[in-house]
Amino acid sequence: MGLVARRVGRRTPPRLLAVAALAVALVIAWQPAAAQNLGAIRGTVMNGTAGAAVPADLVVALVGRRGPDALPTLTAGVNEDGTFVFTDLPRTADAAYFAHVDYQGVSYATDGISFDGRTEVETTLTIYESTGQNPGIALESVSRLLRHQTADAIAILDVIDVLVPGDRTFLPTASTAAPPPLRFAVPEGAFGLQPVSGFGADELVIGGPGFAVLAPLRPGVTTIAYSYQLRLIDGSASFDWLIGLPAGVVRLLSEQDVLVTNPEGLAPQAATSFAGIAVDRWEARDVAARTTFAIEIADTTLPGIVRAIRSTTADRWALIAAGGGLVLSLIFAAHRRVWRPRPAPDDLARARQLLKSLHGSNQGSEPEHAALRDELVELIERRPDIAVELRRDQATQGPAP
């Protein structure tokens, strides 16, 4: 008891008072700085169908990531004027968001949202009324990539840009009275089908040598992509490529130096690259519905004498069914467009220089850092192949210090 009394009554030394005052000052000084790292996203929900209003009971969800970590999902009600707001959001350079809302069983989302140094960002979230009547869908483009997987199989990636006219979301349904409106054929002997973009495994119906997609199709262009494998017999295969709907352009891309491909009905074009893969390319334009192209493929990685004497079994196909689809899915994610020319050496060299400068610019000013980052992002957006080359550099050289 006496010890407690002596401690309570003891006078605090001036030095401790100074330290305490400094701590308080630091806390006070930190609070505005912390507040400066928070921002707001203000959005407006619009109904893209003529004459339709925005329902009053909509709830918008905001999904975000900060670097590799997911941020808590937030929700906000939509006001009578269609607006919504999310506040107190981390707005660091590695923070990204998108807002989405469910309407009539369809999920609609914004593009990715980042603050880029701003304290407030405005965005628009467009919804549409739905219809079960086919508005006259067509194919803006159809592209097929053929790539070596093993001497016994090739991996195939199909990327289709589906054009939906009008201002309503089309909801295709399975019916015994009529064939599905959006059906894709695959070659006989194909296996390992994997959705990549535009639909999920629960939104397809397999039938015959192909499948139908029953995913909602929003007005405008929707990209559908899927991958699968095709078995080779004695290192080669031939199949018919059926285009079910009218298509603005049909492209065939085949990996160079590994596959020898001979298509009928497609005109040869200049060789190019797809996500860093050197490919031969063929095209046809204004293709009518139900057009068929005959394709022949030979894999050159297996010596002819070995190809002539080896045999294959059905069990082998089951063992190799997993790999090719994943590889092509990653290729598609890294290279969103169907094809692009290889990055110019000057562009690639500049990207490498920018990345090196960014790694060494920790002591530089924020405007300088932002300028370097923006230039690199612009290069990659213009030439996605550059991102592949930079990742390849990192894989061979290890992470930057």
Side-chain angles (χ1 to χ4, degrees), residues 191-207:
F191 61 94
L193 177 67
Q194 296 181 8
V196 176
S197 173
F199 69 103
D202 59 339
E203 295 174 317
L204 65 86
V205 177
I206 297 177

Side-chain angles (χ1 to χ4, degrees), residues 24-344:
V24 171
L26 289 174
V27 170
I28 294 174
W30 175 85
Q31 289 175 344
Q36 291 174 3
N37 287 328
L38 299 178
I41 294 176
R42 300 183 183 275
T44 303
V45 178
M46 301 182 62
N47 197 320
T49 302
V54 176
D57 58 348
L58 287 182
V59 175
V60 177
L62 186 72
V63 178
R65 297 195 68 87
R66 191 172 183 178
D69 301 322
L71 296 171
T73 299
L74 306 175
T75 58
V78 177
N79 301 319
E80 292 183 359
D81 59 355
T83 60
F84 61 90
V85 62
F86 294 94
T87 59
D88 297 332
L89 303 173
R91 61 181 190 91
T92 53
D94 60 349
Y97 304 86
F98 73 87
H100 68 93
V101 66
D102 292 331
Y103 179 56
Q104 295 185 349
V106 182
S107 181
Y108 298 93
T110 63
D111 294 331
I113 304 169
S114 58
F115 283 94
D116 295 328
R118 296 167 292 178
T119 57
E120 288 191 1
V121 180
E122 295 185 357
T123 188
T124 300
L125 180 52
T126 304
I127 62 174
Y128 299 92
E129 302 300 304
S130 298
T131 179
Q133 183 176 358
N134 187 348
I137 59 176
L139 307 180
E140 187 175 80
S141 66
V142 181
S143 300
R144 174 167 288 183
L145 170 67
L146 311 176
R147 193 180 187 201
H148 164 83
Q149 179 175 333
T150 71
D152 295 325
I154 60 171
I156 300 178
L157 174 68
D158 284 353
V159 182
I160 300 97
D161 286 333
V162 182
L163 178 62
V164 183
D167 60 0
R168 292 177 178 267
T169 293
F170 175 46
L171 300 178
T173 57
S175 172
T176 57
L182 195 59
R183 186 178 184 279
F184 302 108
V186 298
E188 292 282 357
F191 61 94
L193 177 67
Q194 296 181 8
V196 176
S197 173
F199 69 103
D202 59 339
E203 295 174 317
L204 65 86
V205 177
I206 297 177
F211 62 96
V213 172
L214 302 180
L217 299 174
R218 297 158 187 79
V221 176
T222 297
T223 298
I224 289 178
Y226 51 90
S227 63
Y228 53 93
Q229 291 83 58
L230 178 66
R231 67 187 65 183
L232 302 177
I233 305 300
D234 294 336
S236 62
S238 60
F239 59 87
D240 289 336
W241 185 11
L242 173 64
I243 310 300
L245 294 173
V249 59
V250 174
R251 297 186 183 95
L252 179 67
L253 309 174
S254 179
E255 187 174 9
Q256 282 184 358
D257 303 326
V258 180
L259 301 179
V260 176
T261 304
N262 295 305
E264 291 185 4
L266 294 166
Q269 306 292 316
T272 183
S273 69
F274 182 96
I277 304 170
V279 295
D280 296 312
R281 177 167 58 98
W282 298 262
E283 284 188 3
R285 293 186 176 273
D286 299 324
V287 177
R290 308 296 300 174
T291 297
T292 298
F293 301 100
I295 312 294
E296 294 183 353
I297 308 165
D299 188 299
T300 63
T301 61
L302 187 66
I305 186 65
V306 178
R307 183 183 299 124
I309 63 175
R310 73 182 299 169
S311 61
T312 59
T313 65
D315 290 341
R316 174 174 290 169
W317 309 127
L319 292 175
I320 65 175
L326 176 60
V327 171
L328 290 177
S329 300
L330 295 175
I331 290 173
F332 178 74
H335 194 88
R336 171 60 181 80
R337 296 304 301 165
V338 175
W339 65 271
R340 291 180 186 267
R342 296 178 183 175

